[in-house]
Amino acid sequence: MRSISQKKGLSPEDYLRGERKSSIKHEFINGEVYAMAGASANHERICQNLTRRFGNQLEGSPYEPFGSDMKVRINNNFYYPDVLVDCHFDESEPYYTQTPVIIVDVVSPSTRKMDEKTKLIDYLSLPSLQEYVLIEQDVADLTVYRKNDDWRSTHYFLGEKIYFDSIDCTVSVEEIYQRVRNDDVVAYIREQEALLQLSKASQS
């Protein structure tokens, strides 16, 4: 969730200086500062699952995953994606990147408009970006926008796998939603357990 603060008319440099001292994260969009609220348990589970999977895949490679404390700069706007992967991190600017190849945002009702409009337009303008991922936390629905598919959206659901071409990594939707508790995930787990019982019964 984001709420607009009263700070307006800041320069990007002012924003960055203030952000290094702040105990609360803020995004900087079109000259206005937006405070970032806390995340739900399901939100954190999804982020941790994907960050861990990317980290295992990319160990020893030049690609590097980052969590939700790393900013992305697009012109004079600064965003905090939930997960990103970068290949050419500029160590002279340790607080943000301009070269992500994958950006992931976990969607909630309060962030949907920003994630699917303002951020989407900005993210897709990044020359380095190859894949933008939106993950629902209240239902099991994941959307991937790919540069090599003219940024068309593709949806994925439980029981399916996703191939991230930019880092040569395949992840199942089930892995991403591990430990997540929503109606879709609970129903899927019950269905898989029932199928397992049927399989065992048929073999006995």
Side-chain angles (χ1 to χ4, degrees):
M1 177 164 44
R2 298 170 179 83
S3 60
I4 190 168
S5 79
Q6 298 303 310
K7 299 177 182 178
K8 296 185 180 182
L10 291 178
S11 68
E13 292 71 28
D14 290 335
Y15 160 76
L16 288 168
R17 279 194 295 270
E19 199 68 359
R20 286 197 288 272
K21 300 174 184 177
S22 176
S23 60
I24 300 172
K25 293 188 297 187
H26 303 82
E27 294 188 319
F28 188 62
I29 307 168
N30 299 326
E32 296 182 333
V33 178
Y34 293 79
M36 307 290 292
S40 70
N42 279 345
H43 182 287
E44 284 299 297
R45 287 164 181 151
I46 291 167
C47 294
Q48 291 296 323
N49 291 339
L50 201 51
T51 302
R52 181 171 58 252
R53 183 66 183 84
F54 283 171
N56 291 339
Q57 172 72 17
L58 300 175
E59 187 172 354
S61 83
Y63 292 88
E64 185 175 10
F66 290 92
S68 60
D69 285 334
M70 178 55 65
K71 292 181 285 295
V72 170
R73 179 172 187 169
I74 305 170
N75 298 318
N76 287 331
N77 289 345
F78 292 83
Y79 301 103
Y80 282 99
D82 290 310
V83 181
L84 67 86
V85 176
D86 193 275
C87 185
H88 301 287
F89 191 81
D90 182 359
E91 299 294 343
S92 70
E93 296 288 357
Y95 295 102
Y96 65 82
T97 177
Q98 299 183 83
T99 56
V101 294
I102 295 176
I103 290 176
V104 179
D105 276 318
V106 178
V107 181
S108 68
S110 63
T111 66
R112 183 178 305 282
K113 182 178 179 180
M114 184 71 74
D115 292 336
E116 296 187 357
K117 293 185 71 174
T118 305
K119 282 189 170 186
L120 177 64
I121 293 169
D122 254 3
Y123 286 159
L124 300 195
S125 72
L126 281 167
S128 65
L129 192 70
Q130 301 298 311
E131 289 153 316
Y132 178 43
V133 185
L134 287 172
I135 305 176
E136 298 282 350
Q137 59 179 310
D138 296 327
V139 296
D141 183 0
L142 190 152
T143 307
V144 181
Y145 297 86
R146 294 183 173 89
K147 187 173 186 176
N148 65 11
D149 193 28
D150 296 322
W151 296 120
R152 285 188 286 263
S153 61
T154 302
H155 286 261
Y156 296 87
F157 304 96
L158 288 165
E160 298 181 332
K161 293 184 177 182
I162 307 156
Y163 178 64
F164 296 100
D165 181 69
S166 59
I167 59 172
D168 190 25
C169 180
T170 299
V171 185
S172 71
V173 176
E174 187 175 353
E175 285 179 274
I176 294 170
Y177 282 96
Q178 185 179 3
R179 295 182 183 269
V180 170
R181 290 295 175 264
N182 63 43
D183 289 346
D184 284 356
V185 174
V186 170
Y188 179 79
I189 291 172
R190 288 174 178 167
E191 178 183 314
Q192 296 304 302
E193 289 174 345
L195 289 173
L196 180 61
Q197 291 301 320
L198 283 175
S199 176
K200 289 181 178 179
S202 66
Q203 294 174 8
S204 60

